[in-house]
């Protein structure tokens, strides 16, 4: 939900800001803009354009290359459509101050009314423009001090925001502030960066500072000052970014999504590394921070991360015998939930910034629950506000559609479930599961080796109007994930159903030729025969069946069979979801869609 970059130093700001925006474009891509300072008192250089970053780049003239300080924004529209005038930055009336914003200013209407009464003019339909006018008034009130002005304005704002502002009177200074939206500082040598996430400056520095809630940061080329809203000086935590710039590049792949699909074996290995051995013994020292006297587990997450939770629930309950519920984070706090002190809340989030999940976490904590997060982004808000965190080691996920993050989230849940169950499972069961987990990277590789066949098969369904996904047990949330991927990438009607639910309504959707992708439980599963019957039921009504099945199964009734390696039943989604990702990817390509930046979406959803 909007990407933000600021640079101040000795180099050409425009190239670094635009390079940063390119890395952040996954956060929003309906318009983009920059504001650069150009020497003491000289007017700001501002350009903004509706559409993707390329439109902005085409509009930039050579005058922009002189400046060594500036800010840039790539937008996912909330208030006001994606037009040039609604694009950020927004300017003060005198044109001396520019501001960019990620989030939502909830009280912008009343602020705007007051500003209109004072004579300010508005040129956009955004909530952000009010901040530009408020800041310019506050700068005047504070004798030209942009940092003090920012602190005072933040106190008046309700909602969520990351804000960056520049003023032409102080061309080397960028002031930032954050509440409920992400902002990190990149610490350079004679230069400093501000950004929504570290990928924006990873090519220049690996040193980053975490900023907390309601903190204001003032950067110049040689200084970084962090204060709270009262002006008290704070000492932010510095950390080193552990991945390199190449991880945030496409590296020869046509799309980030394809690269990330192929990175899954490594992402799984990295997430398992040092945490489990062949005897199935798990080492998660992160959990020492929690008192794991747990009677109930509640998993909260959104979208694909929610599906990870639904899948993890089976292993948690089966192995540990502790009750586990999974709920959409966006629904949780509005139903007045009841949590006992022995409830452990687990939030799952790739970005660590999803607003629905963050708000659910805060609400759960306010009810006294202990909170564990499973997260892929170091230092992001959700792990910072949790009592403990299991980081997944998936590396940066740039494509909007989540792939490797999901598989590593499921792995983290399996590790957590084993950790809880060490006294409940026999040594031989532990060993069997441990070995199966360790074998998953190579099994996912085997699935990826069949990509040509998957591509060919997908072509046969190009003109379908609707695709149904069917599963039982862990296959059901896998089916939900297959449908979500197809919706978001191919813009097709797709739905996931539990096999047993078909007869309660959804079977009416089946007509001659309807594609049904069914995930077959392995041999020995108690629901295998029932799933086989469900497949027959849709086949009898004319469905075209694509079966995802392991090599142990002899199949007659399917139109297509996607063979996947055998594994433990509870681990099966790690393998069976991979072909569904490829199916959605290929279908999106066949339909001419933008795979990495699907319409209307953004990677990090920082609004409720
Ligand atoms: C799925 O492909 C999506 N990108 C989306 O559902 C995503 O999983 C969801 O928005 C949650 O994001 P998070 O993991 O960063 O919290």
């Amino acid at each position: 939900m909007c990407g933000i970059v600021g640079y101040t130093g000795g180099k050409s700001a425009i190239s670094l800001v635009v390079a940063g925006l390119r890395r952040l474009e996954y956060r929003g891509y309906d318009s983009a803009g920059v504001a650069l300072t150009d020497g003491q008192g000289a007017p700001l250089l501002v350009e903004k354009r509706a559409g993707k970053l390329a439109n902005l780049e085409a509009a930039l003239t050579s005058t922009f290359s002189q400046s060594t300080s500036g800010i840039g924004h790539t937008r996912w529209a909330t208030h006001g459509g994606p037009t040039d005038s609604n694009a950020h930055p927004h300017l003060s009336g005198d044109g001396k101050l520019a501001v960019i914003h990620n989030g939502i200013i909830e009280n912008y209407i009343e602020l705007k009314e007051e500003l209109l009464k004072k004579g300010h003019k508005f040129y956009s339909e955004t909530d952000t423009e009010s901040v530009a006018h408020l800041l310019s008034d506050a700068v005047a009130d504070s004798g030209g001090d942009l940092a003090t002005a920012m602190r005072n304005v933040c106190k008046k704002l309700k909602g969520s925001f990351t804000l960056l502002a520049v003023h032409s009177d102080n061309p080397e200074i960028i002031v930032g502030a954050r509440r409920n939206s992400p902002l990190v500082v990149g610490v350079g040598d004679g230069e400093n960066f501000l950004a929504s996430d570290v990928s924006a400056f990873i090519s220049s520095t690996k040193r980053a500072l975490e900023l907390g809630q309601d903190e204001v940061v003032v950067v110049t080329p040689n200084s970084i000052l962090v204060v709270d809203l009262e002006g008290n000086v704070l000492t932010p935590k510095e950390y080193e970014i552990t991945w390199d710039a190449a991880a945030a590049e496409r590296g020869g792949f046509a799309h980030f999504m394809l690269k990330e699909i192929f990175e899954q074996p490594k992402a799984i290995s990295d997430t398992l590394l040092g945490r489990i051995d062949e005897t199935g013994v798990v080492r998660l020292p992160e959990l020492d921070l929690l008192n794991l006297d747990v009677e109930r587990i509640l998993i909260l997450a959104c979208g694909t991360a929610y599906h990870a939770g639904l899948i993890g629930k089976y292993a948690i309950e089966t192995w540990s015998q502790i009750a586990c519920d999974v709920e959409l984070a966006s629904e949780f706090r509005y139903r007045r939930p009841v949590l006992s002190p022995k409830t452990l809340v687990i939030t799952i989030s790739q970005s660590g910034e999803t607003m629905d999940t963050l708000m659910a976490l805060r609400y759960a904590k306010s009810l006294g629950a202990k909170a564990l997060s499973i997260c892929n982004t170091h230092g992001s808000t959700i792990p910072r506000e949790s009592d403990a965190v299991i980081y997944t080691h998936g590396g940066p996920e740039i494509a909007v559609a989540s792939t490797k993050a999901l598989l590593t989230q499921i792995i983290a849940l399996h590790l957590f479930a084993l950790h809880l169950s060490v006294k409940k499972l026999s040594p031989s069961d532990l060993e069997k599961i441990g070995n199966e987990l360790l074998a998953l990277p190579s099994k996912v590789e085997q699935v990826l080796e069949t990509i040509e066949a998957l591509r060919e098969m997908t072509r046969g369904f190009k003109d379908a109007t609707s695709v149904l996904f069917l599963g039982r047990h862990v296959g059901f949330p896998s089916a939900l994930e297959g449908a979500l991927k197809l919706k978001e990438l191919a813009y097709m009607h797709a739905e996931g159903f539990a096999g047993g639910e078909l007869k309660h309504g959804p079977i009416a959707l089946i007509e001659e030729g309807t594609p049904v992708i069914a995930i077959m439980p392995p041999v020995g599963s108690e629901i295998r025969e029932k799933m086989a019957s469900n497949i027959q039921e849709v086949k009898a009504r004319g469905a075209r069946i694509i079966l995802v099945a392991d090599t142990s199964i002899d199949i007659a009734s399917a139109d297509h069979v996607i063979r996947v390696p055998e594994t433990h039943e509870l681990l099966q989604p790690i393998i069976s979801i991979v072909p569904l990702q490829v199916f959605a990817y290929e279908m999106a390509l066949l339909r001419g869609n933008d795979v990495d930046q699907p319409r209307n979406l953004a990677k990090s959803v920082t609004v409720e």
Side-chain angles (χ1 to χ4, degrees), residues 43-301:
L44 295 174
L45 290 167
V46 179
E47 193 60 77
K48 47 193 202 168
R49 283 286 188 273
K52 294 205 171 168
L53 184 58
N55 293 1
L56 171 71
E57 285 182 273
L60 294 171
T61 60
S62 57
T63 46
F64 281 82
S65 55
Q66 308 301 322
S67 169
T68 56
S69 177
I71 56 178
H73 186 270
T74 177
R75 179 170 186 247
W76 186 85
T78 57
H79 294 67
T83 61
D84 286 354
S85 54
N86 288 333
H88 298 212
H90 292 284
L91 302 181
S92 56
D94 60 8
K96 288 182 147 202
L97 179 143
V99 68
I100 54 179
H101 168 220
N102 169 28
I104 291 179
I105 307 296
E106 287 170 1
N107 56 337
Y108 81 101
I109 292 179
E110 57 195 80
L111 294 171
K112 186 171 176 177
E113 277 164 11
E114 283 168 27
L115 289 159
L116 284 167
K117 276 185 208 147
K118 282 185 168 178
H120 287 283
K121 290 202 167 52
F122 282 75
Y123 300 94
S124 78
E125 302 148 304
T126 66
D127 50 337
T128 308
E129 196 177 356
S130 296
V131 180
H133 298 309
L134 282 174
L135 267 175
S136 107
D137 285 358
V139 166
D141 293 345
S142 61
D145 182 352
L146 186 55
T148 303
M150 182 66 93
R151 289 195 289 108
N152 291 336
V153 167
C154 287
K155 288 180 192 165
K156 293 183 183 164
L157 303 179
K158 290 189 183 143
S160 61
F161 51 81
T162 301
L163 294 165
L164 294 190
V166 288
H167 197 289
S168 57
D169 288 348
N170 293 295
E172 288 198 322
I173 293 177
I174 304 174
V175 176
R178 72 166 287 258
R179 178 185 299 161
N180 297 334
S181 292
L183 178 61
V184 284
V185 184
V187 185
D189 188 8
E191 60 183 3
N192 288 308
F193 299 79
L194 293 168
S196 303
D197 83 44
V198 298
S199 62
F201 51 73
I202 183 74
S203 303
S204 301
T205 178
K206 289 195 163 192
R207 293 172 61 201
L209 297 181
E210 290 180 12
L211 287 186
Q213 202 50 353
D214 277 338
E215 291 181 7
V216 170
V217 58
V218 186
V219 294
T220 69
N222 294 304
S223 67
I224 299 165
L225 176 71
V226 180
V227 294
D228 64 19
L229 294 191
E230 303 312 318
N232 301 306
V233 176
L234 305 169
T235 310
K237 202 164 125 204
E238 182 171 326
Y239 63 97
E240 197 183 325
I241 305 157
T242 50
W243 43 273
D244 60 18
E249 304 289 348
R250 284 211 309 269
F253 284 88
H255 299 96
F256 278 111
M257 183 184 176
L258 190 62
K259 176 180 174 242
E260 288 157 11
I261 287 174
F262 274 86
E263 283 172 342
Q264 292 184 114
K266 182 169 186 310
I268 295 170
S269 302
D270 289 349
T271 302
L272 289 170
L273 190 70
R275 288 171 163 169
I276 190 164
D277 61 23
E278 305 74 33
T279 64
V281 171
V282 167
R283 273 177 294 276
L284 285 174
E286 311 74 330
L287 298 181
D288 295 349
L289 294 167
L290 288 173
N291 167 18
L292 277 179
D293 182 14
V294 179
E295 269 175 4
R296 179 184 169 225
I297 291 165
L298 175 62
I299 298 178
L300 301 169

Side-chain angles (χ1 to χ4, degrees), residues 2-3 34 123 144 213 222 292 310 321-322 338 343 350 362 367 370 386 399 426 459 477 490 499 545 588:
C2 302
V34 291
Y123 300 94
Q213 202 50 353
N222 294 304
L292 277 179
L310 290 175
Q321 297 294 298
I322 296 175
V338 179
T343 303
Q350 188 286 130
R362 286 188 184 156
L367 297 179
K370 277 259 180 303
S386 301
S426 68
R459 276 187 210 118
I545 309 287

Side-chain angles (χ1 to χ4, degrees), residues 302-305 348-352 354 400-402 409 484-485 488 605:
C302 300
T304 289
I348 307 174
S349 176
Q350 188 286 130
S351 62
T354 299
V400 165
S402 188
Q409 287 160 354
L484 174 61
K485 281 288 152 298
E488 72 174 327
V605 186

